Amino acid sequence: NVQTTTQNITDFKFVVNAGAQTFEIDNINISVMTNPLVNNQPAASQSVCAGTSVSFTAAATNGSPSVQWQKNIAGTWTDITGATANTYTISSPVVGDAGSYRALYTNTSGSTPSNTATLVVNTAPVGGTVSASTSHCGTTNSSLREHGPCGPVM
């Protein structure tokens, strides 16, 4: 990210000598605007269960920048409709919401993106094979029941 600042120069005097004439402009105020500075980055990675609310937060300074959250879809950063606040919340994420997100801050001088935040959305197991390394959503106390030919095996 580019680190920039706003500078104000006051009481500047401009003099042009053109042959026998001198042109003078006094008391010029110059403001130099710079790109936004993202000073609060979103968490690099979040992992949630499907249906569990998740939020990304970022912030920037320099020239009161506006913000637009974006999702990377097939290699292209795409604006998320209505996501124009420092915090973007997905209230009930589904597996299709998994991916890379960022905030793009813009002022009159240009734009600066935040760091990328990655979202992983896990689903609850529905059946099938479960191993010790399987990530799943559910209660914190899990048990595994197997059924044999004569009934449940505990």
Side-chain angles (χ1 to χ4, degrees):
N1 292 336
V2 177
Q3 292 188 355
T4 57
T5 59
T6 301
Q7 297 178 352
N8 292 314
I9 302 169
T10 58
D11 297 329
F12 183 73
K13 186 175 183 177
F14 184 71
V15 178
V16 176
N17 290 316
Q21 296 183 326
T22 300
F23 298 93
E24 188 175 301
I25 302 172
D26 202 0
N27 296 322
I28 299 173
N29 291 323
I30 300 172
S31 292
V32 179
M33 289 293 298
T34 56
N35 288 357
L37 171 63
V38 180
N39 58 354
N40 184 23
Q41 299 287 350
S45 180
Q46 294 191 59
S47 182
V48 298
C49 293
T52 302
S53 181
V54 62
S55 295
F56 300 100
T57 300
T61 60
N62 288 351
S64 301
S66 62
V67 62
Q68 174 63 63
W69 282 93
Q70 299 177 317
K71 182 178 182 187
N72 191 315
I73 300 173
T76 301
W77 288 105
T78 305
D79 291 351
I80 301 168
T81 303
T84 57
N86 284 331
T87 298
Y88 171 58
T89 299
I90 304 171
S91 58
S92 188
V94 296
V95 173
D97 290 319
S100 298
Y101 292 82
R102 74 178 186 183
L104 183 65
Y105 286 92
T106 304
N107 65 16
T108 56
S109 292
S111 298
T112 305
S114 70
N115 292 343
T116 299
T118 301
L119 175 63
V120 176
V121 180
N122 298 302
T123 59
V126 179
T129 304
V130 177
S131 70
S133 63
T134 301
S135 294
H136 69 278
C137 298
T139 62
T140 54
N141 296 321
S142 298
S143 62
L144 180 62
R145 281 191 181 170
E146 296 181 19
H147 289 275
C150 298
V153 177
M154 302 288 220

